[in-house]
Amino acid sequence: MLKRKVKTTAMKFAQNLTPRQGLLKALTLAILVLASVMPPTLANENEKATFNSTTTLQTILKSSHRSVANRDRDKYRHPTQTLEFFGLRPNMTVVELWPGGGWYTEILAPFLAAKGQLIVTNLPDASKPALAFQEKLAANPEVFGKVKVAQINPPNELTLAPDNSVDLVLTFRNIHNWVKAGYAEQVYAAAYKALKPGGILGVEEHRGKPDISLQESIKTGYMSEDGVIAAVEKAGFKLVGKSEINSNPKDTKDYPGGVWTLPPTLSQGQKDRQRFLTIGESDRMTLKFIKPKAP
């Protein structure tokens, strides 16, 4: 139907022209007609999005400011469902704890830029990861220009934001590192202090077997779900929801290199690589806690 329409329009246009003129102009017209009726998703799939107050998470996920490698992890990390479970809204003040390379920062920053505020923590400037993350933010002001950085140096310097000023604190796969470093309790306390009463702490973490010991957690990167809940509630929070969005029943949690055996790290190199790629990323708990309002 579309081809017939283009052909008819081109023939009418060419009727009063010389054969050569008619052919060239008809071909030009055909291209213009096709472009005008092409679905936008086909024409503009990889164009950089213009972020504003109506930008959706789905639009951001398709934006070309995200690398192909980061987009490929969406199928494991389920960012839209995860952030919606935590209750993210565009007018919130949000703290992202230990953002690493900025995988979630790439999504949160443009979503919050128009009406909200994203605050990210960063460690002392002398560390290589801290420098790399700071350079990432500076290199793309269109995406990250409104992001605030809270410089921390745990366990002593852990001020995330003014007291009772934050709507949502998020942490993705960090708790095992805090436990290993010995300052998990201080991080929970800092998050509690920064959150408004009624504010939310969203946790995603590698989930170990129910009977896993703390020593094994430090070694493998997998944490006990019950243990995480107990530790966070000890800081004053209350668990208000669990989700299996990021679960992975293929994860047997018994690898020689711990959780880092699986993608994206693939610490075993080429050994059994296809097996670990088939398993995918780790099985993860996804937990939602609230800072209770005063009675």
Side-chain angles (χ1 to χ4, degrees):
M1 186 70 181
L2 177 60
K3 290 181 179 179
R4 191 182 304 121
K5 179 180 178 182
V6 172
K7 182 178 179 181
T8 302
T9 305
M11 289 178 65
K12 287 180 179 179
F13 182 77
Q15 279 178 353
N16 297 320
L17 301 171
T18 66
R20 185 176 181 182
Q21 289 174 323
L23 178 60
L24 290 174
K25 293 195 175 184
L27 286 172
T28 301
L29 181 61
I31 292 169
L32 292 172
V33 171
L34 280 170
S36 69
V37 297
M38 247 171 69
T41 53
L42 295 178
N44 304 315
E45 186 177 17
N46 292 315
E47 270 189 21
K48 185 177 288 187
T50 301
F51 304 122
N52 55 49
S53 60
T54 62
T55 299
T56 65
L57 289 172
Q58 289 77 11
T59 300
I60 293 168
L61 293 181
K62 295 177 183 177
S63 172
S64 61
H65 79 281
R66 303 182 70 223
S67 67
V68 173
N70 281 356
R71 292 193 208 183
D72 284 347
R73 295 186 67 198
D74 290 351
K75 61 181 177 288
Y76 300 121
R77 304 202 69 176
H78 315 105
T80 299
Q81 299 96 315
T82 299
L83 293 173
E84 287 178 349
F85 172 70
F86 291 144
L88 178 70
R89 298 189 303 275
N91 62 345
M92 283 181 160
T93 297
V94 178
V95 174
E96 183 186 4
L97 301 173
W98 276 253
W103 194 93
Y104 258 105
T105 311
E106 290 181 354
I107 301 168
L108 293 165
F111 186 75
L112 295 165
K115 296 191 290 185
Q117 178 66 67
L118 176 62
I119 302 168
V120 294
T121 62
N122 204 14
L123 298 170
D125 290 336
S127 66
K128 288 184 178 180
L131 286 172
F133 182 64
Q134 197 69 45
E135 289 169 2
K136 178 187 181 76
L137 298 185
N140 196 343
E142 182 180 348
V143 176
F144 304 115
K146 295 184 179 180
V147 175
K148 290 184 178 180
V149 178
Q151 292 291 347
I152 58 173
N153 190 9
N156 299 318
E157 298 176 28
L158 265 172
T159 300
L160 308 177
D163 294 358
N164 304 307
S165 66
V166 173
D167 299 293
L168 179 63
V169 175
L170 298 172
T171 173
F172 302 99
R173 306 182 317 150
N174 289 310
I175 292 178
H176 59 285
N177 290 322
W178 301 341
V179 169
K180 182 177 181 179
Y183 51 65
E185 290 183 5
Q186 288 93 324
V187 177
Y188 302 144
Y192 190 91
K193 193 174 182 181
L195 279 166
K196 300 172 182 176
I200 296 297
L201 171 64
V203 171
E204 180 195 312
E205 178 57 285
H206 308 295
R207 178 166 50 195
K209 296 177 180 179
D211 58 349
I212 190 170
S213 68
L214 200 59
Q215 291 72 26
E216 190 69 11
S217 290
I218 292 171
K219 178 182 175 182
T220 65
Y222 288 99
M223 297 292 299
S224 159
E225 183 170 307
D226 288 344
V228 169
I229 293 170
V232 176
E233 290 197 325
K234 185 178 178 181
F237 291 97
K238 295 296 180 185
L239 180 70
V240 291
K242 295 183 183 182
S243 174
E244 293 302 306
I245 297 165
N246 296 300
S247 65
N248 180 2
K250 295 180 182 178
D251 182 4
T252 55
K253 312 173 186 184
D254 57 359
Y255 317 110
V259 72
W260 304 281
T261 303
L262 297 177
T265 307
L266 293 167
S267 64
Q268 304 303 296
Q270 295 302 315
K271 183 179 179 181
D272 293 328
R273 186 182 184 88
Q274 190 53 52
R275 173 194 164 203
F276 300 132
L277 286 171
T278 300
I279 292 170
E281 295 195 13
S282 67
D283 176 48
R284 298 175 190 141
M285 63 185 90
T286 306
L287 309 172
K288 183 176 180 180
F289 298 88
I290 192 169
K291 175 179 177 177
K293 295 180 179 180

